[in-house]
Amino acid sequence: DKKKSPPLTVGIPGKNCGTIIIKAEELGNCRESVLMQFCGNKLDKKDFFGKSDPFLVFYRSNEDGTFTICHKTEVVKNTLDPVWQAFKIPVRALCNGDYDREIKIEVYDWDRDGGHDYIGEFSTSYRELSKGQSQFSVYEVLNPRKKKKKKKYQNSGTVTLLSCLVDTEVSFLDYIKGGTQINFTVAIDFTASNGNPSQPTSLHYLSPYQQNAYSMALRAVGEIIQDYDSDKMFPALGFGAKLPPDGRVSHEFALNGNPDNPYCSGIEGVMEAYYQSLKSVRLYGPTYFSPVINHVARYASLVKDGSEYFILLIISDGVISDMAQTKESIVNASALPMSIIIVGVGPAEFDEMIELDGDEIRISSRGRFAERDIVQFVPFRDYIDRRGNHILSMARLAKDVLAEIPDQFLQYMRTRGIKPQCPPQSYSSKLPAAPLQTQI
């Protein structure tokens, strides 16, 4: 159903500021992208003192017969024979996966004042464009007004499709279906700044009435990740505590007390090992992240063929004492098949953890930058529901901490040319043209 939106009145009270019309169409299930490059030849001269500054505007046709802009090329200055840069666009954006739907391309001469001069247009379809893989496709640029006025009018120049490469996008799930294993490791902060676990003010306090922040964060993230881990056996580590019987400080110990086999069965096994550790170790310090990062990195460095990917969840309450070493560990790990999730619990400022996240500035160590962003940080306090609806708030926490994992995973696989064992079905088979080239 088409519904016209009410007039815009927010900008200037009492004034009609126009309307916004929103059109929706169900997306086709098409995962192809196409890389195309065009050039122009003998386009109409529009500028009095120069030639023209041409650019192309691509329109997708809608189900109701209207057109929507889906791409603009850059402007090539002062030429009637422009060569535009190659660009990549999802086929869904171009034609919503309908290979025979009309695609309209208009040619304009750029003007500084925004009143761009219309040179002409031509129409095609994705099926037609795809033939450009094996041959040049030349399109006449026509200006309907000129055609009506001038009997001898032929065209306003031509536009040639120089190249067309089709790429079938693969997803995180394609790799999982192809057999890639996700290995999940947990590391929990046992430093004294968390407070005495026997006191209700402690972040590690085990109340008979509700879970503490560590338990809630661990369960929220772990219960989702465990569905991608086939054996559901998770190494669970602790750091910053004095261990029995001799009271030595450890920054990388097994929660289950077995350094040779730190694996716990499912998230319930991790929770039980965490509870038992609280009864046996003494909270101490300082807060070192690098040992647990290096622990997972050692395993990740042994499997670089795409068959396994490692995720480390660190839950901690505050200031990192080995920031330089942690940065170096992350820079080294960025070249390995692993990601790091950090959940900050408690009221502390988390400036260092935000810096490790690397969303604003790519993390570096001794002049070396991380190959990719592999850290996602969230403060637990942002997800505490004051009304006590922990189920919904923990679902939000899990969604946000896991949001970057698929892209981090795909970035690793693509930069190394690793493809899923069972590649996704290509939609290219519908096209009668030459076999489509696929590049990932």
Side-chain angles (χ1 to χ4, degrees):
D1 294 342
K2 286 184 185 177
K3 290 182 180 177
K4 193 173 181 181
S5 61
L8 299 173
T9 56
V10 178
I12 306 170
K15 275 200 168 185
N16 184 342
C17 300
T19 58
I20 292 177
I21 298 171
I22 299 172
K23 294 181 178 179
E25 183 178 330
E26 186 177 348
L27 282 174
N29 184 22
C30 176
R31 296 197 301 177
E32 290 176 351
S33 290
V34 60
L35 179 70
M36 296 185 288
Q37 184 174 25
F38 290 86
C39 72
N41 185 245
K42 296 181 180 176
L43 298 177
D44 281 357
K45 179 179 179 296
K46 290 289 183 178
D47 292 344
F48 188 74
F49 291 110
K51 295 183 179 177
S52 283
D53 306 318
F55 67 96
L56 303 177
V57 181
F58 289 73
Y59 295 85
R60 177 185 68 245
S61 58
N62 302 313
E63 289 177 324
D64 62 359
T66 60
F67 288 88
T68 302
I69 293 176
C70 58
H71 182 75
K72 283 183 182 179
T73 67
E74 79 284 5
V75 176
V76 181
K77 292 288 190 76
N78 198 31
T79 179
L80 303 180
D81 303 300
V83 178
W84 290 283
Q85 292 176 14
F87 65 92
K88 191 174 186 180
I89 185 170
V91 172
R92 282 195 303 194
L94 201 57
C95 63
N96 201 11
D98 179 350
Y99 292 176
D100 295 308
R101 186 180 293 202
E102 182 183 2
I103 299 166
K104 183 170 74 172
I105 297 119
E106 292 181 341
V107 188
Y108 285 91
D109 167 43
W110 178 85
D111 279 340
R112 191 181 301 276
D113 62 5
H116 311 309
D117 297 320
Y118 173 77
I119 294 176
E121 65 185 63
F122 61 94
S123 293
T124 183
S125 66
Y126 179 61
R127 192 180 297 278
E128 189 69 31
L129 289 170
S130 68
K131 294 175 183 176
Q133 296 171 105
S134 55
Q135 63 191 49
F136 284 166
S137 297
V138 182
Y139 299 94
E140 279 193 305
V141 177
L142 299 176
N143 185 323
R145 287 183 182 177
K146 279 192 172 183
K147 196 172 182 181
K148 273 186 178 180
K149 287 181 179 177
K150 299 180 180 180
K151 287 184 179 180
K152 293 185 178 179
Y153 174 80
Q154 290 185 323
N155 58 50
S156 294
T158 60
V159 168
T160 302
L161 174 60
L162 296 174
S163 64
C164 177
L165 290 173
V166 175
D167 169 8
T168 300
E169 300 284 350
V170 294
S171 70
F172 173 68
L173 283 178
D174 290 322
Y175 288 89
I176 301 301
K177 290 174 184 175
T180 297
Q181 297 290 314
I182 300 296
N183 297 311
F184 180 50
T185 302
V186 177
I188 294 177
D189 182 339
F190 282 83
T191 56
S193 55
N194 286 280
N196 186 335
S198 64
Q199 300 297 317
T201 53
S202 171
L203 293 168
H204 281 304
Y205 180 65
L206 299 179
S207 165
Y209 305 109
Q210 66 180 39
Q211 297 181 78
N212 63 31
Y214 281 90
S215 301
M216 291 172 73
L218 179 53
R219 192 180 289 280
V221 179
E223 285 186 345
I224 291 178
I225 290 183
Q226 73 175 354
D227 290 336
Y228 296 93
D229 191 309
S230 58
D231 63 6
K232 294 179 173 46
M233 295 297 291
F234 308 125
L237 308 174
F239 57 92
K242 283 189 172 182
L243 307 186
D246 55 0
R248 68 181 178 86
V249 179
S250 175
H251 302 290
E252 180 193 345
F253 62 90
L255 294 189
N256 64 6
N258 185 350
D260 296 324
N261 185 11
Y263 291 86
C264 301
S265 179
I267 292 305
E268 292 305 326
V270 175
M271 302 293 286
E272 183 59 32
Y274 163 56
Y275 297 145
Q276 292 303 318
S277 284
L278 283 174
K279 297 174 184 176
S280 62
V281 306
R282 182 179 159 208
L283 273 58
Y284 201 67
T287 306
Y288 289 168
F289 277 15
S290 60
V292 292
I293 295 172
N294 293 338
H295 174 99
V296 176
R298 282 195 296 275
Y299 289 93
S301 67
L302 302 174
V303 194
K304 297 181 183 178
D305 61 356
S307 62
E308 297 183 44
Y309 194 86
F310 296 77
I311 298 172
L312 169 62
L313 169 63
I314 300 174
I315 311 176
S316 178
D317 80 319
V319 178
I320 302 166
S321 307
D322 65 337
M323 191 64 173
Q325 293 91 330
T326 295
K327 283 184 174 182
E328 183 166 10
S329 296
I330 291 171
V331 169
N332 292 336
S334 69
L336 300 173
M338 70 178 281
S339 291
I340 301 166
I341 298 166
I342 303 173
V343 177
V345 295
E349 292 299 320
F350 296 121
D351 293 347
E352 291 168 323
M353 296 183 187
I354 293 168
E355 183 182 345
L356 295 179
D357 192 303
D359 282 346
E360 300 295 327
I361 302 171
R362 181 64 60 87
I363 193 170
S364 64
S365 172
R366 296 194 284 187
R368 288 171 56 230
F369 281 86
E371 183 180 308
R372 58 197 176 96
D373 175 18
I374 64 167
V375 179
Q376 169 75 338
F377 165 72
V378 296
F380 183 82
R381 59 174 172 252
D382 289 359
Y383 299 86
I384 297 172
D385 192 311
R386 304 299 174 192
R387 294 163 297 180
N389 188 351
H390 296 312
I391 294 175
L392 195 61
S393 58
M394 288 305 98
R396 278 179 47 239
L397 170 73
K399 177 177 177 289
D400 287 355
V401 298
L402 297 172
E404 293 185 10
I405 297 290
D407 283 343
Q408 292 173 1
F409 175 99
L410 289 170
Q411 195 176 6
Y412 176 82
M413 298 299 182
R414 284 173 182 153
T415 54
R416 278 147 185 81
I418 300 170
K419 298 179 183 180
Q421 291 301 307
C422 300
Q425 181 194 358
S426 172
Y427 295 85
S428 315
S429 54
K430 300 175 187 174
L431 293 168
L436 297 180
Q437 299 176 49
T438 301
Q439 295 176 337
I440 293 177

